[in-house]
Amino acid sequence: MGTLGRAIYSVGFWIRETGQAIDRLGSRLQGGYYFQEQLSRHRTLMNIFDKAPVVDKDVFVAPSASVIGDVQVGRGSSIWYGCVLRGDVNSIRVGSGTNIQDNSLVHVAKSNLSGKVLPTLIGDNVTVGHSAVIHGCTVEDEAFVGMGAILLDGVVVEKNAMVAAGALVRQNTRIPSGEVWAGNPAKFLRKLTSEEIAFISQSATNYTNLAQVHAAENSKSYEEIEFEKVLRKKFARKDEEYDSMLGVVREIPPELILPDNVLPDKAEKALKK
Amino acid sequence: MANLARFSKRAIGNVFALTRHHVLPQPLVAAAERHFATETVKSITPSADRVKWDYRGQRKIIPLGQWLPKVAVDAYVAPNVVLAGQVTVWDGASVWPGCVLRGDLNKISVGFCSNVQERSVLHAAWSSPTGLPADTSIERYVTIGAYSLLRSCTIEPECIIGQHSILMEGSLVETQSILEAGSVVPPGRRIPSGELWAGNPARFVRTLTHEEILEIPKLAIAINDLSKDHFSEFLPYSTVYLEVEKFKKSLGISV
């Protein structure tokens, strides 16, 4: 049996070598337009010489995000897919429990027209929506920056303030506590109700929990990913009624169960396909 | 795998450990100027295990629990797109580079022959303020322009959403309507059928002529054609594994 195994192994090896040789032949036929895939060189946390990002161990940093330069991220925060936090010319401080959602940009200014240069400071439990652009601003604790908002240099968003989606907040504007500013250029829209203020901190907590799920998923090794693929295939056509008719009890394997605190109400099983 | 990245990170870490003491004085100065977040600044405990660079890059399809994003066989999804959670990309659809489709709280579906252009973010909130289902569903022949942000909205068949538009929770874009570039649709708004809306917040501009309405699915089909060119650039299975094997061999790790 040992020799048969080895024989099959070497046949497999020959087939792979043949395949690779044919691949090389095809590449040569493609000539100048041949494309060779490279390993991803994307660096999630990148130093600029001596400015290194300091990221707490509880933080979820998506692999496609870029945290560059002098950036500090406090515990429980999350930096979602595609974000760029570029602390190259100045510093960025992100507090704890904050979430910087997908495709956002947090940048700092080295110099601006008024001469005052501030580092970007984002406080605790802040929600920065998708694709926001935050450039040299101060965002205090429990603020809410809506998606697509653009905050220019020197803007201060005070505690419990909200920048509505799509707003363009011009330089050195101060957004007072408890107000919603919207529009382009951003103007006062209305005051926040107390439920909305409570909602802001609730949403930050929800995001921290969600981030743990994503963090766990993104840091899986190859074997774990493949194993779960197999598990998922096996449980794809689970039918409770049929199983109970047969008298079979099939439990979802623990690897496939999301933690209870991810979805706002506990009826998450109803959502699963 | 992760060991590999940790190994290289540690090598780099040793070099930078010498220069690390330069970094410390700066946070204390910044903390003195601000009243908040000062505690966190001093209390960040970085993990020595955090990988700074993963040779695998970002995975395109990220299953969460039992939810697995499903991509149709002839749909073009660019390699640097992130599909997470309950996402379905139907036939002929295309998702262009840089998009993030995050179906972690609710479903996202990109309908037949629709396209989600570059750098858009589609998310679904847990519940929407209107009675509409909170999942983001994009029906057939919809063109979603670049850099748009969609959150829990329903887009009926044959629409065009302009570039950099923002659609908030519970919005409904009815069939055969066009949203101009840069428009922001506040939560719970409805864009009626056959009209052109624009602005922040989105306001009615004019109704569409019949010729314009006929052009809408043609645009979607044209982009579908274009996506086939992009799709054909990629081999069904990537050959990066050869690079990985070379890399491991050069580092002396057994393949």
Side-chain angles (χ1 to χ4, degrees):
Chain A
M1 273 304 121
T3 44
L4 182 61
R6 287 192 68 124
I8 294 176
Y9 184 78
S10 12
V11 169
F13 204 75
W14 296 338
I15 295 176
R16 280 188 72 189
E17 280 187 329
T18 314
Q20 286 180 14
I22 298 177
D23 179 62
R24 283 195 293 272
L25 173 64
S27 315
R28 205 177 308 147
L29 280 177
Q30 280 188 325
Y33 300 116
Y34 157 62
F35 175 71
Q36 182 177 23
E37 295 203 16
Q38 301 292 339
L39 289 175
S40 162
R41 296 187 64 178
H42 172 82
R43 293 162 68 178
T44 307
L45 268 62
M46 188 166 108
N47 310 1
I48 304 272
F49 185 51
D50 59 346
K51 302 190 203 191
V54 179
V55 171
D56 191 270
K57 62 172 150 42
D58 280 340
V59 169
F60 162 55
V61 180
S64 53
S66 308
V67 179
I68 299 169
D70 187 3
V71 182
Q72 289 191 355
V73 185
R75 58 185 307 262
S77 295
S78 43
I79 300 180
W80 292 80
Y81 302 100
C83 289
V84 179
L85 272 72
R86 211 156 41 95
D88 45 6
V89 293
N90 214 318
S91 65
I92 297 180
R93 301 280 173 263
V94 177
S96 60
T98 300
N99 55 85
I100 308 216
Q101 295 181 23
D102 323 79
N103 276 348
S104 302
L105 169 67
V106 179
H107 191 220
V108 285
K110 188 169 186 173
S111 62
N112 62 24
L113 293 173
S114 69
K116 223 178 12 147
V117 175
L118 291 171
T120 298
L121 296 166
I122 301 182
D124 301 337
N125 296 317
V126 175
T127 304
V128 175
H130 315 290
S131 275
V133 176
I134 298 188
H135 199 278
C137 316
T138 304
V139 182
E140 296 189 3
D141 304 350
E142 313 220 344
F144 187 100
V145 177
M147 50 187 191
I150 301 178
L151 275 65
L152 296 177
D153 296 31
V155 166
V156 178
V157 182
E158 289 188 6
K159 198 166 146 65
N160 285 325
M162 182 190 272
V163 179
L168 172 72
V169 185
R170 295 183 57 241
Q171 285 89 341
N172 296 318
T173 315
R174 186 173 198 97
I175 301 191
S177 187
E179 299 187 3
V180 180
W181 282 48
N184 174 354
K187 292 195 184 63
F188 172 72
L189 180 67
R190 62 179 171 87
K191 281 211 175 293
L192 277 174
T193 66
S194 53
E195 337 175 297
E196 289 176 331
I197 295 180
F199 168 72
I200 294 179
S201 34
Q202 180 61 34
S203 98
T205 320
N206 288 346
Y207 258 91
T208 309
N209 296 334
L210 197 55
Q212 294 311 312
V213 177
H214 281 257
E217 184 57 45
N218 271 301
S219 56
K220 287 197 173 137
S221 69
Y222 177 67
E223 281 93 18
E224 287 170 345
I225 298 172
E226 291 296 309
F227 176 60
E228 288 189 12
K229 266 193 206 168
V230 171
L231 276 182
R232 236 172 250 116
K233 240 189 235 174
K234 194 170 163 206
F235 276 81
R237 297 186 205 299
K238 177 174 140 148
D239 187 357
E240 293 273 3
E241 278 185 50
Y242 184 64
D243 281 350
S244 65
M245 186 196 79
L246 288 181
V248 165
V249 173
R250 280 210 287 177
E251 281 187 9
I252 305 176
E255 291 89 354
L256 296 186
I257 298 183
L258 287 179
D260 259 346
N261 57 11
V262 168
L263 298 173
D265 66 273
K266 305 288 192 311
E268 53 169 4
K269 286 212 173 121
L271 277 184
K272 288 190 181 150
K273 278 184 280 187
Chain B
M1 288 158 290
N3 294 326
L4 176 61
R6 264 181 232 140
F7 178 83
S8 38
K9 186 210 82 76
R10 217 172 282 150
I12 300 171
N14 287 336
V15 173
F16 278 102
L18 297 170
T19 55
R20 197 162 288 275
H21 63 272
H22 291 305
V23 180
L24 285 177
Q26 291 173 13
L28 295 176
V29 172
E33 294 173 352
R34 295 278 174 264
H35 309 297
F36 58 94
T38 46
E39 297 311 308
T40 49
V41 162
K42 293 176 202 149
S43 65
I44 296 179
T45 47
S47 156
D49 260 352
R50 181 181 287 279
V51 288
K52 291 190 178 169
W53 169 68
D54 187 345
Y55 72 90
R56 300 177 297 175
Q58 166 80 57
R59 266 193 284 163
K60 192 161 86 180
I61 295 188
I62 299 188
L64 296 173
Q66 279 196 326
W67 302 323
L68 179 67
K70 197 167 72 162
V71 178
V73 284
D74 55 354
Y76 166 60
V77 177
N80 57 0
V81 167
V82 175
L83 304 178
Q86 296 160 294
V87 179
T88 314
V89 179
W90 294 99
D91 302 55
S94 44
V95 182
W96 293 76
C99 291
V100 178
L101 272 70
R102 224 169 18 107
D104 42 17
L105 295 173
N106 227 315
K107 284 203 302 245
I108 296 182
S109 81
V110 181
F112 172 74
C113 219
S114 294
N115 54 85
V116 180
Q117 291 185 12
E118 286 84 350
R119 274 252 154 195
S120 315
V121 177
L122 271 67
H123 189 213
W126 169 248
S127 63
S128 88
T130 60
L132 283 175
D135 44 335
T136 304
S137 69
I138 300 171
E139 304 274 345
R140 55 187 197 275
Y141 296 111
V142 171
T143 301
I144 301 199
Y147 285 85
S148 31
L149 309 171
L150 270 66
R151 199 174 145 88
S152 275
C153 48
T154 307
I155 304 185
E156 294 193 357
E158 300 182 13
C159 293
I160 294 183
I161 311 283
Q163 303 186 345
H164 211 299
S165 46
I166 301 180
L167 272 75
M168 302 208 59
E169 282 95 333
S171 2
L172 169 66
V173 182
E174 287 194 358
T175 153
Q176 292 165 347
S177 55
I178 297 185
L179 267 178
E180 283 274 317
S183 49
V184 175
V185 180
R189 297 290 193 270
R190 178 183 75 103
I191 313 281
S193 180
E195 298 183 5
L196 172 70
W197 283 51
N200 174 358
R203 291 188 192 87
F204 172 73
V205 176
R206 60 177 174 86
T207 52
L208 295 173
T209 66
H210 189 64
E211 286 77 27
E212 288 171 337
I213 291 181
L214 287 179
E215 283 298 316
I216 300 177
K218 286 192 201 158
L219 176 64
I221 294 173
I223 296 184
N224 178 21
D225 263 342
L226 191 61
S227 77
K228 291 206 176 17
D229 283 341
H230 287 248
F231 188 76
S232 60
E233 278 299 313
F234 293 97
L235 290 171
Y237 295 98
S238 119
T239 53
V240 169
Y241 74 96
L242 295 167
E243 301 295 318
V244 174
E245 286 179 358
K246 261 190 248 172
F247 191 46
K248 284 189 175 173
K249 203 188 274 193
S250 73
L251 283 172
I253 299 173
S254 67
V255 167

